[in-house]
Amino acid sequence: MKTYNHTTYAILGILTTNCRSGYAIKQLIDRSLNHFWKISYGQIYPTLKRIVNEGLAEVRASSGEGKRDKQEYTLTSKGMEVLGNWLSEPVDQPPLEKNEILLKLFFGRHQSTDHTIKLLTDYKGKLQERLATYVTIEEGILNQEERSEDVDYWLFTLDYGKRGALASIDWCDATLEKLYSKEEHDGQSSV
């Protein structure tokens, strides 16, 4: 059985929602997936072309009154089968995270404790902003008049993001506390 890259599987999944055009796919990515899965605009159309060529989706021109024609994509039964097979496969391993703050902290002895504290404080602020964004998205989903069958699953992924942000904020607090203590201790030792 042929395997595809994760972008292909993501777009097959998106096509199970009401997103039918490249533009609608990009909108959904920006509103939802972008918080945990990055797909650039430049990846969408080549992937759509590839899945049509592979028989995983069909495309047809759609036009509205006063609007220019747009391409609308729908999954074929083969596309649903490929998506279903991928969804049923186990995850190989938890993803490794590239995290700049951890990299800088790892080499933290080569900068002042004050600077490390500032970096962590700024990072914590960004995490708090991200958490606020997740809460706003959650409220938007819960306040939709028409509830999609996908809502529970969207909320599961959003909960993962919220919990991750909260855990990272908690880690920042614990690390900052240790850094303040270190700074206080280092200041007393130099006297």
Side-chain angles (χ1 to χ4, degrees):
M1 181 171 132
K2 182 173 180 172
T3 58
Y4 298 91
N5 63 33
H6 288 104
T7 298
T8 301
Y9 293 122
I11 290 180
L12 289 174
I14 291 170
L15 289 175
T16 66
T17 68
N18 288 329
C19 296
R20 299 281 179 248
S21 68
Y23 178 76
I25 290 169
K26 178 62 174 153
Q27 294 298 107
L28 179 68
I29 290 168
D30 287 348
R31 283 190 327 268
S32 300
L33 294 180
N34 211 27
H35 299 286
F36 60 90
W37 197 264
K38 305 285 186 209
I39 299 175
S40 72
Y41 208 59
Q43 293 175 289
I44 294 171
Y45 287 101
T47 302
L48 286 170
K49 183 178 181 180
R50 191 173 325 107
I51 66 175
V52 167
N53 290 341
E54 297 271 338
L56 305 177
E58 295 174 342
V59 62
R60 68 178 176 82
S62 164
S63 61
E65 193 172 317
K67 296 181 181 178
R68 62 177 239 226
D69 286 355
K70 66 179 177 179
Q71 303 291 316
E72 289 195 344
Y73 299 84
T74 54
L75 280 183
T76 62
S77 57
K78 181 181 176 184
M80 281 300 297
E81 182 182 344
V82 166
L83 178 63
N85 288 338
W86 173 72
L87 289 170
S88 67
E89 292 174 5
V91 175
D92 287 335
Q93 62 182 354
L96 294 176
E97 180 183 350
K98 287 185 178 181
N99 187 318
E100 186 180 5
I101 194 71
L102 293 179
L103 187 60
K104 288 184 175 188
L105 189 59
F106 189 81
F107 299 110
R109 78 174 177 89
H110 300 288
Q111 67 181 349
S112 72
T113 303
D114 279 346
H115 187 72
T116 302
I117 288 171
K118 180 177 178 355
L119 282 173
L120 273 172
T121 303
D122 291 347
Y123 182 67
K124 179 183 171 185
K126 289 180 172 97
L127 289 167
Q128 290 168 323
E129 289 171 11
R130 180 178 293 167
L131 180 60
T133 298
Y134 291 155
V135 169
T136 301
I137 292 169
E138 181 180 44
E139 289 168 354
I141 291 171
L142 292 173
N143 291 328
Q144 289 177 350
E145 287 183 31
E146 270 188 58
R147 293 201 49 141
S148 165
E149 294 177 45
D150 296 318
V151 163
D152 288 338
Y153 299 95
W154 295 345
L155 291 172
F156 295 153
T157 58
L158 192 57
D159 187 51
Y160 179 90
K162 285 174 47 185
R163 289 173 187 255
L166 285 167
S168 294
I169 290 167
D170 184 52
W171 170 82
C172 284
D173 288 338
T175 305
L176 283 166
E177 186 177 313
K178 290 174 185 171
L179 285 167
Y180 286 129
S181 177
K182 175 181 173 22
E183 185 180 50
E184 188 176 294
H185 178 267
D186 289 349
Q188 289 175 355
S189 328
S190 62
V191 175

